[in-house]
Amino acid sequence: MPHIDTIEVIILDVPTIRGHVLAMTTMRKQSFVIVQIRFSDGSIGTGEGTTIGGLSYCSESPESICSAIQDYIAPLILKADGDNPNALIAMIERSVRGNPIARAAVEMALWDGFARRRNMSLSALFGGALRTSMPVAWTLASGTAETDIEEAKEMIASRRHNIFKLKIGKRPVRHDIEHVAAIKAALGDQASIRVDVNQAWSLTEARWGVAGLDEIGIDLIEQPVAATDIAAMAELTAGYRVAIMADEALSGPVTAQKVASARAADVFAVKIMQSGGLKRAQEVCALANASGIGVYGGTMLESGLGTAAALHVFACADRLDWGCEFFGPLLFTDEILQQPIRFGDFHVHVPQGDGNGVDLDMDKVNFYRRDSAVSKVRTVAKVS
């Protein structure tokens, strides 16, 4: 049985192609926490932990993810049997509270190594793919309608995207509606227009905002109010024709069950990172399907590595009513994979091959890594 020999954790900082404007911050770079687990038989599994905007989005930052893995998770699983990911996941969940992104990064590496040793893809490991590609949205987040319209038209012409999500919530509700209406009018029926408020509205603002967006024909509104305000989400879901999507309200199967029971969303934005890993994300998808709630593949703006793993999981989802937003690799000025994930014909394609189906370009990894020395947890000589 291959046991875990070393766990390597590094942070990469890669610039974005433009400012990515969110309700809570503007991103000009993304930080990826890369995890490589080496096993005693020579095999390697690779994972990624990524959040958005440091601590402005959630309670984990690249630095805290790195620390949680190095100082708490790695000592738990060194020398452990690498061929029993489920046992390791259970051990980590018992011993490390919260920190879903750190747990997800390690779990991703465990599954990748497990699948590669069996010459299987992650999607085969998770039950088999129902699709080889999926419709993919692009986020328009420049902050100006003219720039967003020009960008969207270029995407449609190149057949890269015809689903667009607009980041709103930074301006007064009336101005946000005017901004979205201008883009909707310019694109017409060529595209599906959706918005993400990132919890920025109060319930009063959301009543006005959702009504206005419903009137101009927006297809989907993501997390308009605070993640903790399930009652407000339920009111908005019941009160309007436009679909309401839960995002930050979801942090795995337990919270997903609470949202589903309250009928507080029409759609779940399921994210590998927020769910705490691939296994729990798949459980959230199954719960949504059983509850009659639509599924959308959500992103934390992962690199191609994390995106590949997510693609394999969502390839197995029974339903993917609203497509996905796995556009992350396209937002960065450089690619860290040897072979980029393929986008075309308004779809993103699931990478083929063993494990997650992709391999890191180590020259790029070394160029963008934050530290100059490898941060590594090595097998201890004596394990009690």
Side-chain angles (χ1 to χ4, degrees):
M1 81 181 174
H3 63 260
I4 296 171
D5 267 351
T6 63
I7 302 172
E8 180 182 353
V9 189
I10 60 174
I11 300 176
L12 309 183
D13 296 308
V14 182
T16 57
I17 58 175
R18 54 153 166 78
H20 192 67
V21 181
L22 311 173
M24 74 295 292
T25 189
T26 297
M27 294 176 57
R28 301 195 181 279
K29 68 178 179 67
Q30 179 62 302
S31 299
F32 313 114
V33 180
I34 304 297
V35 180
Q36 283 201 319
I37 298 180
R38 295 179 182 273
F39 300 88
S40 58
D41 64 351
S43 61
I44 299 173
T46 309
E48 175 186 338
T50 301
T51 184
I52 299 171
L55 288 174
S56 65
Y57 181 80
C58 69
S59 59
E60 287 183 273
S61 67
E63 297 78 15
S64 74
I65 295 165
C66 192
S67 175
I69 296 169
Q70 288 178 318
D71 299 329
Y72 294 92
I73 298 176
L76 282 174
I77 63 175
L78 282 170
K79 277 297 200 180
D81 177 8
D83 270 354
N84 195 343
N86 276 329
L88 298 178
I89 292 166
M91 182 193 305
I92 293 168
E93 290 182 343
R94 284 194 305 268
S95 303
V96 178
R97 302 297 178 188
N99 294 279
I101 300 174
R103 292 188 282 109
V106 174
E107 185 203 334
M108 192 183 297
L110 291 170
W111 287 124
D112 182 46
F114 185 80
R116 287 177 188 266
R117 285 192 293 276
R118 283 154 181 76
N119 303 118
M120 297 173 66
S121 67
L122 282 182
S123 51
L125 191 65
F126 276 77
L130 297 176
R131 56 191 65 83
T132 58
S133 68
M134 53 200 79
V136 58
W138 174 256
T139 294
L140 299 171
S142 72
T144 64
E146 295 79 9
T147 302
D148 285 349
I149 291 167
E150 182 180 352
E151 190 174 293
K153 287 183 174 179
E154 290 175 0
M155 298 291 182
I156 294 169
S158 65
R159 297 188 60 80
R160 206 177 81 176
H161 304 277
N162 60 1
I163 303 170
F164 299 103
K165 187 168 82 172
L166 311 180
K167 291 288 188 177
I168 63 174
K170 231 177 181 180
R171 294 171 286 205
V173 174
R174 185 184 301 275
H175 294 169
D176 270 339
I177 293 174
E178 291 171 353
H179 171 74
V180 176
I183 296 170
K184 173 65 177 174
L187 299 181
D189 294 333
Q190 297 180 83
S192 170
I193 305 297
R194 306 161 182 192
V195 302
D196 185 2
V197 190
N198 283 127
Q199 311 181 74
W201 289 342
S202 67
L203 177 56
T204 302
E205 290 173 321
R207 289 181 182 131
W208 284 104
V210 173
L213 293 167
D214 190 2
E215 186 176 342
I216 62 177
I218 299 309
D219 295 331
L220 182 69
I221 301 174
E222 183 173 351
Q223 200 65 56
V225 296
T228 53
D229 200 343
I230 302 300
M233 287 287 287
E235 177 186 322
L236 298 170
T237 300
Y240 299 93
R241 296 168 301 177
V242 61
I244 302 295
M245 182 158 73
D247 175 11
E248 290 90 344
L250 305 173
S251 56
V254 174
T255 53
Q257 192 276 331
K258 291 178 181 177
V259 174
S261 295
R263 301 305 301 175
D266 299 297
V267 186
F268 280 177
V270 186
K271 296 178 177 177
I272 299 295
M273 301 298 159
Q274 278 183 185
S275 299
L278 282 62
K279 180 179 179 181
R280 301 304 176 213
Q282 191 177 54
E283 291 172 0
V284 174
C285 290
L287 192 152
N289 189 56
S291 304
I293 292 172
V295 172
Y296 176 74
T299 183
M300 295 286 269
L301 300 178
E302 295 92 346
S303 75
L305 177 63
T307 299
L311 284 167
H312 278 281
V313 170
F314 285 88
C316 302
D318 290 328
R319 296 176 59 185
L320 198 61
D321 316 71
W322 292 84
C324 73
E325 58 181 24
F326 299 137
F327 67 88
L330 301 174
L331 187 62
F332 312 118
T333 58
D334 208 350
E335 175 61 71
I336 66 168
L337 299 181
Q338 293 182 22
Q339 184 66 40
I341 290 170
R342 186 163 68 90
F343 294 82
D345 291 324
F346 307 121
H347 280 61
V348 57
H349 298 262
V350 182
Q352 303 300 302
D354 296 341
N356 54 37
V358 298
D359 295 294
L360 290 171
D361 181 330
M362 294 310 298
D363 288 338
K364 296 290 182 66
V365 169
N366 290 327
F367 180 81
Y368 289 109
R369 64 184 300 157
R370 184 178 294 183
D371 60 337
S372 57
V374 172
S375 175
K376 186 177 289 188
V377 181
R378 294 190 178 276
T379 306
V380 292
K382 182 179 180 181
V383 178
S384 57

